[in-house]
Amino acid sequence: METTYVELQEIPVLRVRADMKGKGPSAAFNLLESKLPTIKGRKFYGTFQPTPHGEEYYACVALIDSDDTEKMQLETGAIPGGWYARRRFPEWEKNLSKLPATFEEMARTHDVDPARPSVEFYRSQAELLLFLPVRSHPPSEAT
């Protein structure tokens, strides 16, 4: 699959930390979605980062002006901006078990920035975009 390079701006989010020793990301997304008045039109992300104590995963939704963070009782945070290697991950619902291996494969061929998390952007029910944080990338081709 083709990898492209994109520079993302910081994305303010509402988030729920996943219990990686328990029910994992799906339970975090279920809790996050249950706190929203509607999921229609919302942008959902997952962030993953290895830590000295294991793995840290957050189910996230982009913050919008009408969100009442106190009422929703959700943690706020931000997905860091910067350069990312991007790859499409089609039919993600059927292939979730292959997600870690895909990120590992991307990491073998890129200068990964360990200070930022890897990001999953759930673009649609059929398409997931993977973003691997990188310190450097090939120069863009001038057209």
Side-chain angles (χ1 to χ4, degrees), residues 29 32-34 36-44 61 125:
F29 274 106
L32 177 65
E33 290 176 7
S34 75
L36 301 173
T38 180
I39 61 171
K40 187 173 178 153
R42 302 300 297 255
K43 293 182 179 179
F44 289 90
V61 64
Q125 298 230 319

Side-chain angles (χ1 to χ4, degrees), residues 3 5 48-50 82-86 100 102-119 131-138:
T3 299
Y5 299 89
F48 174 83
Q49 191 161 24
W83 282 97
Y84 289 83
R86 177 181 67 188
T102 303
F103 268 123
E104 289 171 13
E105 176 192 327
M106 290 173 71
R108 284 194 294 273
T109 57
H110 293 87
D111 183 14
V112 178
D113 180 354
R116 295 182 290 141
S118 296
V119 179
F131 294 90
L132 182 74
V134 293
R135 288 189 268 229
S136 62
H137 59 88

